[in-house]
Amino acid sequence: MTSLLDSPVPAAADDPALRRGAARVLYANWTGTSTVPSRGLYPHQWSWDSAFIAIGLRHLSARRAQRELETLLGAQWADGRVPHIVFNPAVPLDAYFPSPDFWRSSRDGAEAGAPEGIETSGIVQPPVHALAAWLVHLADPEASRRRRFLPRTYAALTAWHDYLSGPRDLGGGGLAAVLHPWESGMDNSPCWDVPLRRIEPAAPGSYRRADLDHGAAAERPTDLDYGRYVRLAGDYRDSGYADAGTRHEFAVEDPGVNALLIVSEHALARIAAEIGADATPHEERAARLTAALVERLWSPADGMFLCRDLAGGEPIAEHSVAGLLPLIVPGLPQDLVGALIRTAAGPGFRLGEIPMVPSYDLTGPAFDPSRYWRGPAWFNTSWLLERGLRLHGRTGAADTLRTSMLTAAGACDFAEYVDPFTAEARGTRDFGWTAALTLDLLVRDPAEEDAGHAAGRVVGARV
């Protein structure tokens, strides 16, 4: 079956200057073992950032893209979780908060299997990694097989999915739950406003926000929300990072996280087949997850998927881009595909009318075009939607979105996120996944790409 896992997108009119600019960002953010999202605001390795970065980095260096994922998986916990941050010990503690001395992973996470000698956070991020590993393999299959890249990562990726489908199935319905807004990747989404009201914020003087040293306060979470994030993270740490058998004040089934788990499970099936393992368990799990996603999170009245608050027991009545991301799921019922596309093109998201897809409903009560995940458009979510549109045969809409993304990336200095109406830069600049996914949108047919690698016709040197 052809899917977004192995079907190349057609090339845009190539833009050498845009390619060079994107390559410059990725080379500048490379640390020698991984890529930081940005040199100032995010000076460590982030989990889903590295997955998206590897997807783009493979067009410059398949070897470096492999290293990106291998470094991240090298910090995996024994229980299978892939931490959302892997800390660089050379970075000063005050450069980022929460810093490794807050998470205390090697001590407080020891019972959950945190690695010794590597400091990480104790929470996770969306599981894009198996999809990234498969796409990295496709960039240079011969080199990948020679290095045994997939056989060496398959067990780690399987354990990661087992963790999400096992200890994190807190609702008992087959879906993975997130225990902190940061785990969704969409940290400051209005979807979390109601669940967060139950959380008593950490005392204002008990921590210092390093993010405001690099970003405007009007574009970042409020102090109240940040205090609640700190409280949740501290409570989870103090529980020994326990999942099942523990009362969680914040526990949410997120459609974006679970859609990415489904797509990555399909990717694991491809990886299994490539290395001679049994693909059937992965396809069966993907099917179960898809059925659970539809049963538990689909809202016919809203024409999209909603988050479910497990502590409160109800769907969350907010329209986030996360509710559109299941468009990337192969085999999604066609009536749901049609409804999702109508919702995306409607007044809430205006797909095809404005430069990029906003992170939150344009007509929603909490919409803010500048504040982190409360309205600005992000390149990773738009990239996923572009692939989903193409997967389901909406090539015209996919082409339009792709062209808008490339135009925005070149005009905003590869910004972290942009105003959805004007594509004006917001957040930090020279952002890793913006540059990486720009490269991926510019890619040509894999056969041409391989020939280009062989002839050395890529920007920069291969590693």
Side-chain angles (χ1 to χ4, degrees):
M1 179 180 69
T2 300
S3 77
L4 84 166
L5 298 177
D6 53 11
S7 181
V9 298
D14 196 11
D15 184 337
L18 192 58
R19 278 187 178 238
R20 287 193 295 271
R24 173 190 57 79
V25 172
L26 293 178
Y27 286 137
N29 291 3
W30 176 252
T31 67
T33 56
S34 64
T35 308
V36 297
S38 72
R39 282 290 179 181
L41 184 56
Y42 305 107
H44 301 285
Q45 183 180 24
W46 262 258
S47 173
W48 79 325
D49 291 74
S50 277
F52 286 119
I53 286 167
I55 288 169
L57 192 57
R58 67 193 173 117
H59 303 303
L60 298 177
S61 166
R63 174 67 184 88
R64 186 172 285 189
Q66 292 173 20
R67 184 77 179 279
E68 184 81 37
L69 296 172
E70 290 165 349
T71 298
L72 179 68
L73 294 174
Q76 186 174 27
W77 291 29
D79 66 2
R81 82 182 75 193
V82 175
H84 99 294
I85 302 175
V86 180
F87 289 106
N88 181 349
V91 173
L93 289 178
D94 62 359
Y96 180 80
F97 180 85
S99 49
D101 58 337
F102 173 89
W103 295 104
R104 302 195 299 264
S105 64
S106 59
R107 188 189 81 180
D108 292 355
E111 189 170 341
E116 298 179 6
I118 302 175
E119 292 301 319
T120 74
S121 68
I123 61 174
V124 302
Q125 276 189 324
V128 198
H129 312 89
L131 172 61
W134 178 246
L135 294 178
V136 167
H137 165 76
L138 291 180
D140 193 342
E142 290 186 8
S144 173
R145 292 175 186 127
R146 189 167 57 250
R147 292 195 67 250
R148 296 185 53 78
F149 169 64
L150 293 181
R152 288 186 295 102
T153 56
Y154 174 71
L157 292 169
T158 300
W160 169 218
H161 289 199
D162 288 346
Y163 169 75
L164 293 172
S165 299
R168 283 303 188 94
D169 179 14
L170 298 177
L175 297 181
V178 296
L179 299 179
H180 194 291
W182 291 340
E183 293 198 319
S184 72
M186 303 182 191
D187 309 6
N188 198 37
S189 169
C191 292
W192 319 135
D193 290 355
V194 169
L196 281 174
R197 288 175 194 155
R198 297 189 291 264
I199 310 304
E200 181 68 25
S206 64
Y207 63 94
R208 188 188 77 83
R209 292 184 61 175
D211 63 318
L212 298 181
D213 294 342
H214 304 280
E219 298 177 5
R220 302 294 298 170
T222 65
D223 285 341
L224 176 60
D225 284 335
Y226 209 91
R228 287 167 168 158
Y229 302 155
V230 174
R231 169 70 66 189
L232 272 175
D235 288 350
Y236 190 41
R237 173 201 63 206
D238 294 344
S239 78
Y241 299 106
D243 296 318
T246 301
R247 180 178 177 273
H248 297 285
E249 292 187 90
F250 184 101
V252 175
E253 291 174 346
D254 178 277
V257 169
N258 282 282
L260 287 167
L261 179 56
I262 293 166
V263 171
S264 279
E265 197 67 46
H266 282 294
L268 263 186
R270 302 296 174 91
I271 292 170
E274 164 68 25
I275 67 174
D278 186 2
T280 303
H282 303 296
E283 293 292 5
E284 290 177 345
R285 179 184 280 174
R288 291 195 303 269
L289 284 164
T290 301
L293 180 71
V294 172
E295 179 183 352
R296 293 181 65 81
L297 304 186
W298 174 249
S299 172
D302 296 271
M304 65 187 302
F305 292 84
L306 300 180
C307 296
R308 177 176 290 274
D309 179 6
L310 295 178
E314 298 292 336
I316 297 172
E318 296 287 0
H319 293 177
S320 152
V321 70
L324 301 176
L325 291 187
L327 194 62
I328 65 175
V329 172
L332 195 68
Q334 282 304 298
D335 57 331
L336 271 62
V337 170
L340 282 172
I341 293 173
R342 287 191 295 274
T343 300
F349 295 93
R350 294 175 60 183
L351 172 70
E353 292 184 27
I354 58 177
M356 284 170 56
V357 181
S359 52
Y360 176 71
D361 188 337
L362 298 167
T363 67
F367 174 75
D368 184 328
S370 298
R371 196 178 291 278
Y372 198 66
W373 289 112
R374 301 182 77 85
W378 292 70
F379 286 84
N380 65 330
T381 53
S382 288
W383 180 87
L384 289 167
L385 290 174
E386 189 269 350
R387 301 284 287 191
L389 288 165
R390 205 171 296 284
L391 168 67
H392 294 290
R394 273 59 170 193
T395 55
D399 288 343
T400 298
L401 178 56
R402 186 159 169 262
T403 298
S404 294
M405 291 174 66
L406 291 173
T407 300
C412 74
D413 295 327
F414 304 102
E416 184 180 5
Y417 45 97
V418 298
D419 183 298
F421 297 112
T422 66
E424 184 179 352
R426 296 286 184 266
T428 192
R429 308 303 191 267
D430 290 344
F431 195 67
W433 78 34
T434 301
L437 297 177
T438 296
L439 277 177
D440 198 66
L441 290 173
L442 287 169
V443 73
R444 296 191 179 278
D445 181 270
E448 297 179 8
E449 185 183 6
D450 290 343
H453 282 319
R457 295 196 306 271
V458 291
V459 181
R462 295 183 73 200
V463 174

